[in-house]
């Protein structure tokens, strides 16, 4: 029984940066990098030089001023004694989007106190790490004998004149033999409208996908192409991604045979443009010692109250699940958090012996347009019997109604994707929770809130309590059917969130007894809720 296959689906929202915001400030695409003046700092409002990471103070001021340059020109955002206009070459604050003819270049960075290493600026620049400012992939493996580069890219693609566009295309991979992907790097990525490039492996057991032309897609990916292989936003374009030396992701004869590549284009000013952007995968037929795998931790079908400054949603892959699923320890090498617009913080804790052993993917300033991608210099071990706890925090101030789980613009997600090795050590690597019910626990036979899958399915066929024959084909709820409903829903498997889970699964399982039961329960659902409210009111009136 696979509960995950019945109700789960894998949605990846796109992490977006807004590179064309540089067009809304003078010399926005020519701001010198304080760490290396010979380079350009493309993400002027962010702590990272390519628009990566949280916003710096200039970025916060810019957003607070509704992206109106004249309102922040005289501010000294970085506190180095030079106002923003002076640093960006507009000392008289005369620049505007309709009057771009400036004779002065940008002198310095308005969001970084300079000189960055001076005693005055060191404290202000606590988040600036100039040693991490690399402009090429530091990946020695790609120079090994036998490594080949496999390019996948668009051909003169015209970016639509819309604020955001998701373009997708299926690519065939080499299948003559088995290969390991050991690194990846975007190509032709310099287009200012390009926000992100991602590659997803397609399940080879689902058959060949024949559609090979570029098509517009959504911000989510669906089966069979949902296994994340590589993902990079503006903050990582020059660096690329590199697996540890002994690790590779299997493609080819016995691995992925096709991938789906997705591009995110951000065009708030609706400018015309074409691009050949794509991704290079570095392959070797000299297979590495370990296969990489992708694990997903996710909570689904939750609801968040509106108008709260802080509300947390938690989900767990219990120790019993990892004990059952993992043959041996695995090592996590990378991770990325996924939330929506209301997300503010997210983390995954590894708990061992009832204590937090490690906190991974800990993002205390989550930015939906630029979620951090964590590549661990020191990989994180996870052992059979460890519990993986996912926590997402949201701010819904100003929102009147409850926010539900989903991919809509006013919905929310709570998900973390982990890349680990060896893949073979973690059999079922999707730990999904329905509300607060860990589905993996049901799959392995654990009791969840007093309910077990096997026990419920046996009772469904043997216990007269669940025999609702005659109540399933009626349009109204009779008193007899209501009493049967009250009795059935008093059991652990049909109480609270467990009822909603079984209701969702009823049609998917194609079990006649279960379908009959829920047809009857749904007919009496409204009357049941009314009866429960009346009973609660009567107990309250008696002071009990």
């Amino acid at each position: 029984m696979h509960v995950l296959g019945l109700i789960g689906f894998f949605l990846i929202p796109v992490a977006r940066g807004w590179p064309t915001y540089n067009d809304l400030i003078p010399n926005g695409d020519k701001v010198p990098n304080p760490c290396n003046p010979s380079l350009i700092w493309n993400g002027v409002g962010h702590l990272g030089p390519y628009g990566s990471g949280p916003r710096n103070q200039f970025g916060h001021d810019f957003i607070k001023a509704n992206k109106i340059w004249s309102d922040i020109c005289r501010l000294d955002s970085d506190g180095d004694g030079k106002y923003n206009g002076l640093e960006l070459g507009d000392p008289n604050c005369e620049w505007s989007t309709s009057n771009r003819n400036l004779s002065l270049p940008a002198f310095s960075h308005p969001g970084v106190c300079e000189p960055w290493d001076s005693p005055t600026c060191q404290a202000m620049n606590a988040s600036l790490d100039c040693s991490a400012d690399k402009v090429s992939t530091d990946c020695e493996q790609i120079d090994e004998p036998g490594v080949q580069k496999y390019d996948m890219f668009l051909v003169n693609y015209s970016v639509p004149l819309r604020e955001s566009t998701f373009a997708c295309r299926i690519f065939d991979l080499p299948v003559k033999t088995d290969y390991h992907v050991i690194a990846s790097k975007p190509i032709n990525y310099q287009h200012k409208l390009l926000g992100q490039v991602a590659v997803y492996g397609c399940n080879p057991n689902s058959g060949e996908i024949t559609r090979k032309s570029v098509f517009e897609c959504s911000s989510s990916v669906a089966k069979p192409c949902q296994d994340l292989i590589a993902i990079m936003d503006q903050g990582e374009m020059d660096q690329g991604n590199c697996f540890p030396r002994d690790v590779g992701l299997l493609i080819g004869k016995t691995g992925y045979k096709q991938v789906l590549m997705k591009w995110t284009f951000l065009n708030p000013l609706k400018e015309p443009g074409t691009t050949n952007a794509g991704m290079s995968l570095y392959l070797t037929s000299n297979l590495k010692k370990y296969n990489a795998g992708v694990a997903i931790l996710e909570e689904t079908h939750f609801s968040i109250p509106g108008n709260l400054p802080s509300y947390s949603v938690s989900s767990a892959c219990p120790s019993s699940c990892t004990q059952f699923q993992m043959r041996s320890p695995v090592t996590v090498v990378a991770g990325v958090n996924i939330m929506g617009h209301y997300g503010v913080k997210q983390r995954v804790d590894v708990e061992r012996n009832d204590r937090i052993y490690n906190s991974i993917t800990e993002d205390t300033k989550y930015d939906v347009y630029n979620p951090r991608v964590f590549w661990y210099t020191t990989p994180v071990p996870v052992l059979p019997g460890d519990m993986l706890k996912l926590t997402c925090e949201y701010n819904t101030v100003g929102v009147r109604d409850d926010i539900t789980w989903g991919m809509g613009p006013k919905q929310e997600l709570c998900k973390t994707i982990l890349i680990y090795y060896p893949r073979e050590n973690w059999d079922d690597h999707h730990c999904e929770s329905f509300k607060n019910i860990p589905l993996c626990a049901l799959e392995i036979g654990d009791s969840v809130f007093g309910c077990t899958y096997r026990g419920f399915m046996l009772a469904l066929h043997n216990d007269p309590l669940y025999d609702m024959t005659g109540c399933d084909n009626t349009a109204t709820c009779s008193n007899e059917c209501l009493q049967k409903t009250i009795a059935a829903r008093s059991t652990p498997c049909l109480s609270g969130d467990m009822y909603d889970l079984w209701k969702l699964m009823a049609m998917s399982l194609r079990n006649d007894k279960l379908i009959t039961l829920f047809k009857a329960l749904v007919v009496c659902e409204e009357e049941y809720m009314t009866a429960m409210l009346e009973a609660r009111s009567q107990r309250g009136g008696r002071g009990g």
Side-chain angles (χ1 to χ4, degrees):
M1 188 276 297
H2 278 281
V3 177
L4 300 181
L6 295 171
I7 74 165
F9 54 91
F10 183 20
L11 303 173
I12 297 291
V14 174
R16 302 188 293 182
W18 295 93
T20 52
Y21 282 171
N22 289 341
D23 293 336
L24 304 180
I25 59 175
N27 291 307
D29 58 346
K30 301 180 181 67
V31 177
N33 187 326
C35 300
N36 185 346
S38 66
L39 302 176
I40 297 299
W41 191 288
N42 289 313
V44 185
H46 290 267
L47 292 174
Y50 309 100
S52 58
R55 293 189 181 98
N56 54 35
Q57 189 57 48
F58 177 79
H60 287 300
D61 291 341
F62 183 57
I63 296 301
K64 186 176 180 180
N66 294 318
K67 302 183 283 291
I68 299 174
W69 164 246
S70 59
D71 288 354
I72 63 169
C73 181
R74 293 290 179 184
L75 295 181
D76 180 13
S77 295
D78 56 16
D80 59 5
K82 302 184 290 291
Y83 61 92
N84 297 334
L86 182 63
E87 297 202 60
L88 290 182
D90 184 24
N92 298 320
C93 296
E94 297 174 338
W95 185 92
S96 70
T97 54
S98 59
N99 182 21
R100 299 173 177 272
N101 296 322
L102 293 175
S103 58
L104 299 176
F107 293 102
S108 51
H109 195 304
V112 177
C113 181
E114 299 173 80
W116 68 269
D117 56 351
S118 66
T120 302
C121 291
Q122 280 184 347
M124 297 183 184
N125 293 334
S127 299
L128 180 68
D129 183 9
C130 283
S131 64
D133 180 29
K134 300 178 181 179
V135 295
S136 62
T137 302
D138 184 14
C139 190
E140 296 178 359
Q141 296 95 296
I142 65 176
D143 296 323
E144 293 176 353
V147 173
Q148 55 184 291
K149 186 161 64 79
Y150 189 74
D151 294 337
M152 303 174 291
F153 52 89
L154 294 168
V155 179
N156 295 325
Y157 177 75
S158 296
V159 181
L161 303 180
R162 293 196 299 271
E163 186 170 307
S164 63
T165 299
F166 309 107
C168 288
R169 184 187 164 186
I170 299 293
F171 287 90
D172 294 329
L173 297 176
V175 295
K176 187 175 181 180
T177 186
D178 279 333
Y179 301 90
H180 265 158
V181 177
I182 60 172
S184 56
K185 189 174 181 181
I187 54 176
N188 304 323
Y189 62 86
Q190 293 86 355
H191 200 288
K192 65 180 180 179
L193 303 180
L194 179 63
Q196 187 191 72
V197 184
V199 179
Y200 302 92
C202 302
N203 186 344
N205 297 322
S206 299
E208 182 183 2
I209 301 172
T210 57
R211 184 178 190 177
K212 304 295 172 59
S213 60
V214 179
F215 60 96
E216 290 189 19
C217 47
S218 67
S219 60
S220 64
V221 294
K223 294 180 179 179
C225 304
Q226 58 180 21
D227 291 353
L228 186 65
I229 290 177
I231 182 170
M232 296 173 218
D233 57 25
Q234 285 289 330
E236 301 167 305
M237 293 296 191
D238 276 334
Q239 300 176 34
N241 294 155
C242 182
F243 283 102
R245 179 171 292 279
D246 293 332
V247 180
L249 195 144
L250 189 65
I251 70 168
K253 193 172 183 179
T254 61
Y256 298 111
K257 296 173 175 56
Q258 292 181 305
V259 294
L260 179 145
M261 185 177 294
K262 182 175 66 179
W263 297 261
T264 304
F265 294 101
L266 306 164
N267 193 4
L269 300 181
K270 299 180 180 178
E271 301 176 79
T274 60
T275 181
N276 296 316
M279 185 85 77
S280 294
L281 299 180
Y282 290 86
L283 317 177
T284 179
S285 57
N286 300 317
L287 299 184
K288 300 296 182 176
K289 183 176 180 181
Y290 302 111
N291 285 317
V294 178
I296 302 139
L297 311 179
E298 181 178 17
E299 177 153 0
T300 68
H301 298 84
F302 56 86
S303 179
I304 305 170
N307 209 31
L308 288 179
S310 177
Y311 185 86
S312 293
V313 168
S314 293
S315 153
C317 190
S319 58
S320 59
C321 290
T322 62
Q323 185 71 54
F324 180 83
Q325 293 175 352
M326 291 183 182
R327 291 190 177 92
S328 300
V330 299
T331 301
V332 177
V333 297
V336 61
N337 293 325
I338 304 295
M339 290 191 290
H341 292 274
Y342 304 103
V344 291
K345 295 180 182 179
Q346 187 171 349
R347 63 189 288 170
V348 171
D349 292 327
V350 181
E351 296 189 9
R352 186 173 300 162
N353 299 322
D354 298 321
R355 300 181 64 180
I356 295 179
Y357 165 75
N358 209 331
S359 293
I360 53 180
T361 68
E362 185 173 8
D363 195 342
T364 59
K365 294 181 179 179
Y366 183 83
D367 184 349
V368 66
Y369 299 117
N370 243 317
R372 291 181 61 188
V373 179
F374 297 81
W375 282 88
Y376 305 113
T377 305
T378 303
V380 180
V382 178
L383 311 183
D386 285 351
M387 181 173 80
L388 299 173
K389 183 179 179 181
L390 168 65
T391 303
C392 301
E393 183 178 333
Y394 307 90
N395 181 340
T396 61
V397 170
V399 181
R400 183 177 62 182
D401 300 324
D402 288 357
I403 298 167
T404 58
W405 169 81
M407 284 298 301
K410 295 184 179 180
Q411 293 182 300
E412 265 300 342
L413 293 167
C414 181
K415 177 186 295 186
T416 294
I417 303 170
L418 302 175
I419 299 177
Y420 69 95
Y421 72 91
R423 184 190 65 191
E424 294 77 10
N425 283 4
W426 195 351
D427 285 335
D428 193 347
H429 41 261
H430 190 164
C431 278
E432 179 185 338
S433 292
F434 174 91
K435 298 184 178 180
N436 59 350
I437 301 170
L439 299 182
C440 60
L442 281 179
E443 287 191 331
I444 65 175
D446 277 4
S447 174
V448 180
F449 303 125
C451 176
T452 66
Y453 175 83
R454 180 175 173 80
F456 179 60
M457 296 304 288
L458 287 173
L460 191 63
H461 289 79
N462 301 318
D463 193 334
L465 188 65
Y466 298 123
D467 185 3
M468 304 288 286
T469 305
C471 294
D472 57 319
N473 293 318
T474 61
T476 59
C477 179
S478 67
N479 184 62
E480 180 184 0
C481 292
L482 176 58
Q483 296 309 311
K484 286 186 175 182
T485 297
I486 292 173
R489 292 198 60 178
S490 67
T491 61
C493 288
L494 294 179
S495 299
D497 292 340
M498 290 299 299
Y499 172 79
D500 293 334
L501 174 59
W502 285 111
K503 181 180 178 181
L504 185 64
M505 292 172 58
M507 296 303 295
S508 300
L509 286 173
R510 298 180 181 179
N511 182 293
D512 292 339
K513 287 277 189 179
L514 191 61
I515 292 172
T516 298
L517 172 64
F518 270 91
K519 280 184 178 180
L521 294 177
V522 169
V523 169
C524 287
E525 208 166 60
E526 185 175 342
E527 288 81 358
Y528 169 79
M529 295 303 298
T530 300
M532 292 300 100
L533 288 173
E534 290 176 352
R536 192 176 298 121
S537 176
Q538 291 174 5
R539 288 196 300 270
R542 294 194 299 267

